[in-house]
Amino acid sequence: MTEAEQDELTRRVGRPTTSSRAKVSQTWKLENTFMENGRHSWSKMELFEDCKKCMWTEGGARKVSCKIRPLTKHTGKTEIAIVITSRAVCIQNVNCFLPKCFCSTFQHFLKRSDIPQMVYFGFDDAVHGQVSHHYDYLFLSNLTNPNGCPVSITLFVSHTYTDYDVLQKFYEIGFELAVHSVSHQNIDTGSKVQQEAEEQRNNIVNHTGASIEDVVGWRSPFLVTAGDPQIYALEELGFEYDISLIYRRSGMDGDDAWPFTLDYGWPLPCDKSCPMKSHKGFWQIPINAMIDYKHEFPCAFIDSCYNKPWNEEDAYKYIMDNFYSRYHGNRSPYGFHIHAVWLNYDFTRKAMERAINDMMEYDDVYIVNIKQMLEWMKHPTKLSDIRNFGPLGCRPIYATVKDGLIIFINIFVIFGVACITIYVYRNKSKLLATLSNSVEYIMLNDIESRALDKESDSDTHPEV
């Protein structure tokens, strides 16, 4: 079937309808068209088992996509083919190829035992001294991944109240900096997204020394989104991912959605403005809602639960129950979407510290930033090879002028001591001889001095 013929089928099948015939025959629109040309035997057409009711809803409105399996005949042979009736269908390694495209899925193509359990933290809002001590305490206390390299987190930074000197420190340490707007207001149009994203990225770049290529992520304030215009704006600015849309699983036993590219739009349930058009190569990271500690309701942010934990044990249980559901489930990345003020409570910070330490006891768990996680998504690497996977490796050291001066002085002192040591070792015979002569000379001088002192005393006090 040519592309033009496929487009015609897509147009006809995709036309909204309220006809009752759709409930009787899901293919009634395709009768008496290309089928009579012998290309497909539609009388033998079947739908995949998981897609029998996919094309139309009960009210007659078309859903996003459907997979159709017709039996075709060519030169007397019966073959199975896949016909895509909507461009919203994504089939990995058929019309979507890594590293530029990844289909939305709940099961990665690697075996679960080969997948590292990636854990990422996305902290929202301004960065200043009142919250930065939490980052210092939890993540900068010699905490390392199984490959021996430091952990990293992502900071979604809004402009107001941000102390850019503090932010620069975290950039130099190796944290990812991403954009959370200038104004921190509802941003619900593409033009607003473009203005706020560009201006705040410039703020981050100009005040921290980061490059534009370093700052590639966006999160909408209050998770208010602008649909396709939002993605168009971010694409034009060179951003690589958005993380503003929520997926809510059915319960603690349900699987979370893996990150995916928007080549075929947003295919998951949507309760706001979602991008439905194609945005090739642009990554959408679902905010996989956690389940509260009572296992009753979803929580988009860790601090937004209806059933809030009010002691350390409940908070710890809340965090670890969600971790184990991923770790023993589909191994999708476990994301903490969080405001740092949640850690102002002593019991929540202690619970988080316990949970981080317990998660890091596993040799297949890595705490990474979102950019690092996406690099793994683009280039899936088995656990057996993960220690050699560059993006999760030890990052370069970014030094300030003060740090560089201290390093230079230390190197100079060490070099000086080393030179003195080598000189002494090579000339130890001469030095010992010189030292021996000096000691003898000192001793003779001392004896002569004492003798003169004795004579002087005799002259001063003659015997009677």
Side-chain angles (χ1 to χ4, degrees):
M1 181 179 292
T2 66
E3 184 175 354
E5 291 171 337
Q6 182 174 325
D7 286 343
E8 173 63 16
L9 286 181
T10 299
R11 184 185 65 80
R12 296 189 58 171
V13 174
R15 186 183 301 133
T17 180
T18 57
S19 171
S20 60
R21 293 184 64 186
K23 302 177 182 179
V24 178
S25 172
Q26 295 189 358
T27 60
W28 68 277
K29 286 188 177 184
L30 302 179
E31 295 169 2
N32 301 319
T33 57
F34 301 103
M35 310 314 115
E36 296 177 347
N37 297 331
R39 294 185 176 88
H40 300 281
S41 178
W42 290 93
S43 62
K44 298 180 181 180
M45 188 194 75
E46 298 175 353
L47 297 180
F48 282 121
E49 185 66 23
D50 61 351
C51 197
K52 286 184 176 179
K53 297 181 180 179
C54 180
M55 196 175 297
W56 278 280
T57 63
E58 292 181 357
R62 185 180 70 93
K63 286 191 175 180
V64 173
S65 62
C66 187
K67 293 180 289 187
I68 296 181
R69 183 177 64 187
L71 303 180
T72 63
K73 289 185 178 181
H74 296 284
T75 63
K77 295 182 179 180
T78 301
E79 299 176 354
I80 302 295
I82 294 177
V83 174
I84 301 173
T85 63
S86 169
R87 291 190 182 277
V89 175
C90 184
I91 306 171
Q92 197 67 42
N93 297 326
V94 174
N95 57 4
C96 179
F97 301 91
L98 286 171
K100 295 183 178 180
C101 179
F102 189 74
C103 295
S104 173
T105 184
F106 293 91
Q107 299 297 328
H108 199 276
F109 57 78
L110 288 183
K111 293 193 303 181
R112 192 180 67 82
S113 58
D114 288 331
I115 300 173
Q117 178 60 66
M118 290 175 287
V119 177
Y120 67 85
F121 287 79
F123 285 90
D124 282 20
D125 299 342
V127 176
H128 46 72
Q130 294 182 2
V131 298
S132 63
H133 63 97
H134 295 309
Y135 310 148
D136 294 336
Y137 180 80
L138 290 174
F139 304 107
L140 299 183
S141 56
N142 298 318
L143 190 65
T144 59
N145 284 314
N147 61 358
C149 296
V151 303
S152 182
I153 63 174
T154 299
L155 303 177
F156 291 97
V157 185
S158 53
H159 176 66
T160 306
Y161 304 120
T162 286
D163 183 335
Y164 284 95
D165 289 336
V166 174
L167 189 65
Q168 182 181 9
K169 180 193 79 170
F170 289 126
Y171 169 70
E172 291 167 352
I173 288 169
F175 290 179
E176 179 193 1
L177 306 185
V179 178
H180 194 44
S181 83
V182 175
S183 65
H184 204 274
Q185 302 294 319
N186 288 347
I187 301 174
D188 54 3
T189 67
S191 59
K192 289 181 181 178
V193 171
Q194 181 148 5
Q195 178 182 348
E196 295 263 347
E198 183 174 22
E199 185 174 342
Q200 180 56 6
R201 183 177 64 182
N202 289 340
N203 287 335
I204 293 172
V205 168
N206 293 335
H207 289 91
T208 66
S211 67
I212 288 179
E213 292 75 18
D214 291 329
V215 186
V216 296
W218 165 269
R219 170 124 71 196
S220 296
F222 312 110
L223 305 184
V224 174
T225 56
D228 286 295
Q230 173 162 315
I231 308 303
Y232 286 133
L234 295 175
E235 286 179 308
E236 185 174 338
L237 292 172
F239 281 71
E240 293 183 9
Y241 72 85
D242 173 68
I243 183 167
S244 307
L245 297 174
I246 305 169
Y247 174 73
R248 299 177 179 87
R249 54 183 174 154
S250 57
M252 194 65 80
D253 295 333
D255 284 327
D256 283 328
W258 282 81
F260 58 93
T261 59
L262 288 173
D263 291 57
Y264 296 86
W266 172 271
L268 303 171
C270 179
D271 58 1
K272 56 178 68 180
S273 297
C274 297
M276 307 307 293
K277 296 181 180 179
S278 174
H279 303 274
K280 293 186 180 299
F282 190 88
W283 286 87
Q284 187 72 52
I285 304 168
I287 297 176
N288 288 310
M290 299 173 70
I291 306 298
D292 66 45
Y293 79 100
K294 293 184 178 180
H295 295 195
E296 290 183 349
F297 303 112
C299 319
F301 276 68
I302 190 173
D303 47 292
S304 66
C305 286
Y306 176 77
N307 291 323
K308 299 181 184 297
W310 288 109
N311 59 66
E312 182 181 336
E313 289 305 317
D314 286 345
Y316 173 80
K317 178 179 183 298
Y318 169 40
I319 297 169
M320 293 305 293
D321 284 355
N322 280 274
F323 167 74
Y324 287 126
S325 70
R326 273 85 162 182
Y327 185 78
H328 298 300
N330 67 352
R331 288 286 177 98
S332 58
Y334 180 22
F336 288 94
H337 308 277
I338 183 172
H339 300 92
V341 293
W342 189 69
L343 300 170
N344 285 348
Y345 296 104
D346 187 58
F347 72 88
T348 53
R349 191 163 91 157
K350 286 182 178 178
M352 181 62 76
E353 181 182 18
R354 283 176 56 193
I356 289 174
N357 289 335
D358 286 354
M359 287 187 288
M360 296 307 291
E361 289 293 320
Y362 293 88
D363 61 4
D364 52 0
V365 174
Y366 284 74
I367 295 180
V368 297
N369 62 48
I370 293 173
K371 279 179 64 178
Q372 290 175 307
M373 180 266 289
L374 284 184
E375 286 303 310
W376 187 93
M377 292 296 306
K378 296 173 186 177
H379 308 279
T381 302
K382 294 182 179 181
L383 267 172
S384 57
D385 301 318
I386 199 68
R387 291 176 180 268
N388 298 320
F389 183 60
L392 267 60
C394 298
R395 51 190 172 267
I397 298 174
Y398 298 96
T400 62
V401 174
K402 179 179 177 182
D403 294 332
L405 182 60
I406 292 173
I407 292 171
F408 174 78
I409 292 173
N410 288 335
I411 292 174
F412 180 79
V413 171
I414 293 171
F415 180 76
V417 171
C419 290
I420 293 172
T421 303
I422 293 171
Y423 178 82
V424 169
Y425 178 79
R426 289 181 175 178
N427 299 277
K428 58 183 178 180
S429 299
K430 294 181 180 180
L431 290 173
L432 287 173
T434 302
L435 181 61
S436 177
N437 293 334
S438 298
V439 170
E440 291 177 359
Y441 176 79
I442 292 171
M443 290 177 65
L444 288 172
N445 281 345
D446 186 57
I447 293 170
E448 291 177 358
S449 176
R450 290 182 181 180
L452 290 173
D453 289 342
K454 188 174 181 181
E455 291 178 2
S456 176
D457 288 342
S458 299
D459 293 338
T460 307
H461 304 286
E463 297 181 1
V464 180

